[in-house]
Amino acid sequence: MMTGEECCRVRVVDSHTGGEPTRLVVSGGPDLGKGSLADRLGRFRKQHDGFRSAVVNEPRGSGVMVGALLCDPEKSSCAAGVIFFNNVGYLGMCGHGTIGLVATLAYMKRIGPGEHRIETPVGAVSAVLHEGGQVTVNNVASYRTAANVAVEVPGYGRVYGDVAWGGNWFFLVRDHHMDLALKNVEALTSFTWAIRLALREHGIAGDDGKEIDHVELFGPSQIPGVDSKNFALCPGKTYDRSPCGTGTSAKLACLYADGKIREGQTWKQESIIGSIFEGSITLRDGKVFPSIKGSAFVTAESELVLDPRDPLCMGIRA
Ligand code: PYC
């Protein structure tokens, strides 16, 4: 980290998963000490939030960039620990980011094909690196807490959706009049952002009052054999270019609760840009555990320079 007038150098490897970028910090990040990833996230948030902004925000990053701090795992049975962050804060879990992390660790020759456990602030997940380079993330237990919740959205009227957890909190909307096409991204962003603000305004939240900071719209896919297309709004008002791993997990939990998907059945989820994840569920102890399969590709290896003389050293913060 930065000391006095010296520049800080941060090694990162960038990748994208279905179009959604992940910037993995492999060295030069803050020392968060020991303990659970949840505790380390607490220290990251309190003591090093400027580092988060420096890595993902402009001028080094962009609003859409998701950062991932590679950490030593607490348990030796895990291959890695990770804390995901974005332009406005931190993510409990990140599906596309975990696929990016695994593909990057493989690129760096730190892991080979097989199953690897990874610690996150919301629990350990496992990921399988397939021989062909695809990655399946076996996510945390996912569940719906409320179905068909009505919310009055200023300028749009009453909107109905489900509240579900897939590693982050989601409001999932099926019935809407929006055309899920890339050319409509501005209108889709305005609509989903208005939904998010209305949820906050009306106190509609996840467990323990946790804010629902992701909103997803669903519609039919035009690709043969693909079950659904989505638009996923992320907390910092950017949209997920990938089909959103945690969002697809939340969707799978809702489909299961509605009796629309069985254990082992494949659900293909298309993103707003046309990239696809394959999802399925496993049932254990009455809980739904989603698995999400996708591919990621490394796009850059670089060293970020944090110069203390630079007035924008810690990024442009909203
Ligand atoms: O893939 O879970 C995901 C995700 C969350 C936010 C952006 N991507």
Side-chain angles (χ1 to χ4, degrees), residues 20 66 91 93-97 168 214 234 240 242 244-247 277:
E20 182 77 353
V66 171
L91 291 161
M93 224 310 266
C94 183
H96 94 267
N168 295 299
H214 293 73
C234 296
D240 197 332
S242 86
C244 193
T246 50
F277 282 166

Side-chain angles (χ1 to χ4, degrees), residues 178-284:
M178 307 298 285
D179 179 13
L180 297 190
L182 197 52
K183 64 178 185 328
N184 292 332
V185 149
E186 267 183 47
L188 294 166
T189 301
S190 302
F191 179 45
T192 46
W193 187 251
I195 294 174
R196 178 174 171 195
L197 296 182
L199 293 170
R200 187 192 284 168
E201 173 74 21
H202 293 280
I204 299 167
D207 286 347
D208 304 324
K210 290 267 165 46
E211 182 171 6
I212 299 168
D213 55 5
H214 293 73
V215 178
E216 277 187 289
L217 306 178
F218 291 88
S221 169
Q222 302 306 316
I223 305 175
V226 174
D227 297 281
S228 158
K229 183 170 184 173
N230 70 5
F231 173 85
L233 183 79
C234 296
K237 214 177 176 183
T238 58
Y239 68 93
D240 197 332
R241 277 66 171 161
S242 86
C244 193
T246 50
T248 301
S249 298
K251 175 70 177 173
L252 291 167
C254 295
L255 288 166
Y256 180 73
D258 287 333
K260 291 186 177 155
I261 194 168
R262 315 177 295 282
E263 192 172 16
Q265 189 181 334
T266 300
W267 175 267
K268 288 194 182 171
Q269 183 65 59
E270 182 192 356
S271 75
I272 193 70
I273 70 154
S275 52
I276 294 169
F277 282 166
E278 275 181 33
S280 61
I281 57 163
T282 306
L283 302 175
R284 283 201 309 275

